[in-house]
């Protein structure tokens, strides 16, 4: 390995170490309480070193968000084996809701927090959201396949996908932001899955 390759590898490893330390601190203390200095202290770097890799905290959050979408994409690959579009849509909803339960900090970072979006828009404009765009496109693709094969009625696939997308993320956001206190604690998770199933039964008839 040449000097240039070794330096690139070391730089990549250092950047990943920063991201892993940041996510650990965010998980323990919350996003708002953790500063760039806290992250630097956790891995015994100077704050100046952190800023060599990330312009600010929002840019660091955007990188973590991108990794989160990569993880979600891997988890969604298992759904490719489902052939029926309606069943695939149902499975996507369950998988997204399960992702919110398993990785609440990542889900909040990916779908609720403003910080990463500020960084994304600063880099590439108001429509920039590579990770979210890819995930949404997957839902649109499933709906379009259902339309093309006659499973769903002809309509605008992106509008139908947005309705489905909003329902799943709304349920997850209510859960993450402690808004399900309107229900008994022992009923909350089951009720979310029941609500998702009811929604899919309704849209299956409507679409």
């Amino acid at each position: 390995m040449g000097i240039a390759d070794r330096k690139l590898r070391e730089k990549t490893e250092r950047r990943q170490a920063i991201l892993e330390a940041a996510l650990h601190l965010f998980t323990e203390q919350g996003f708002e309480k953790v500063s760039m200095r806290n992250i630097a202290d956790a891995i015994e770097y100077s704050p100046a070193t952190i800023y060599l890799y990330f312009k600010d905290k929002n840019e660091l959050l955007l990188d973590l968000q991108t990794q989160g979408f990569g993880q979600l994409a891997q988890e969604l690959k298992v759904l490719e084996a489902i052939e029926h579009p309606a069943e695939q849509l149902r499975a996507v909803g369950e998988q997204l809701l399960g992702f919110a339960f398993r990785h609440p900090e990542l889900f909040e970072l990916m779908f609720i927090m403003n910080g990463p979006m500020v960084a994304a828009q600063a880099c590439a404009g108001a429509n920039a959201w590579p990770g979210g765009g890819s995930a949404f496109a997957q839902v649109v693709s499933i709906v379009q396949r259902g339309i093309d094969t006659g499973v769903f009625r002809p309509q605008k696939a992106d509008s139908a996908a947005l309705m489905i997308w909003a329902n799943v993320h709304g349920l997850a956001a209510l859960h993450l932001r402690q808004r399900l206190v309107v229900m008994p604690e022992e009923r909350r998770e089951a009720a979310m899955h029941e609500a998702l199933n009811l929604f899919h039964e309704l849209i299956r008839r409507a679409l």
Side-chain angles (χ1 to χ4, degrees):
M1 179 181 292
I3 294 175
D5 289 337
R6 185 171 65 251
K7 286 184 176 180
L8 178 60
R9 186 189 67 182
E10 290 173 351
K11 185 176 181 180
T12 301
E13 290 174 348
R14 196 172 295 122
R15 185 184 186 92
Q16 187 59 33
I18 293 169
L19 289 169
E20 290 175 0
L23 184 59
H24 178 73
L25 289 174
F26 291 145
T27 302
E28 282 193 339
Q29 302 177 27
F31 292 102
E32 300 303 324
K33 293 181 180 179
V34 177
S35 67
M36 296 291 268
R37 178 176 289 277
N38 296 146
I39 298 168
D41 290 343
I43 50 179
E44 299 182 344
Y45 288 176
S46 71
T49 300
I50 302 291
Y51 285 106
L52 291 175
Y53 293 87
F54 302 98
K55 181 179 70 175
D56 54 26
K57 184 176 173 180
N58 284 343
E59 189 173 276
L60 187 152
L61 291 172
L62 178 60
D63 261 40
L64 283 175
Q65 184 194 82
T66 301
Q67 291 193 2
F69 276 112
Q71 184 173 338
L72 176 62
Q74 288 298 315
E75 295 190 16
L76 290 178
K77 279 187 175 181
V78 299
L79 307 182
E80 294 174 1
I82 302 175
E83 295 185 4
H84 197 284
E87 291 305 316
Q88 198 172 32
L89 275 181
R90 181 192 295 271
V92 166
E94 289 287 349
Q95 193 75 10
L96 284 170
L97 201 58
F99 188 88
F101 291 145
R102 294 189 297 275
H103 313 289
E105 295 81 14
L106 276 180
F107 194 93
E108 182 165 351
L109 183 62
M110 292 157 63
F111 295 108
I112 298 177
M113 288 185 64
N114 288 329
M117 304 308 295
V118 171
Q121 291 165 16
C123 292
N127 295 323
W129 192 25
S134 178
F136 181 66
Q138 186 171 2
V139 180
V140 175
S141 176
I142 296 170
V143 174
Q144 188 62 59
R145 187 165 65 85
I147 294 170
D148 294 342
T149 56
V151 174
F152 304 143
R153 293 182 299 174
Q155 58 192 291
K156 292 183 178 179
D158 59 351
S159 297
L162 182 61
M163 176 183 67
I164 297 161
W165 177 269
N167 175 263
V168 175
H169 291 89
L171 288 170
L174 288 171
H175 167 65
L176 293 176
R177 291 304 176 93
Q178 309 298 318
R179 298 309 195 269
L180 286 179
V181 292
V182 294
M183 303 190 71
E185 184 175 0
E186 65 275 10
R187 272 284 296 148
R188 292 171 194 167
E189 185 170 342
M192 290 175 69
H193 286 287
E194 289 165 9
L196 185 63
N197 287 333
L198 176 60
F199 176 74
H200 278 288
E201 286 301 321
L202 292 174
I203 64 169
R204 188 166 185 170
R205 297 169 191 170
L207 295 183

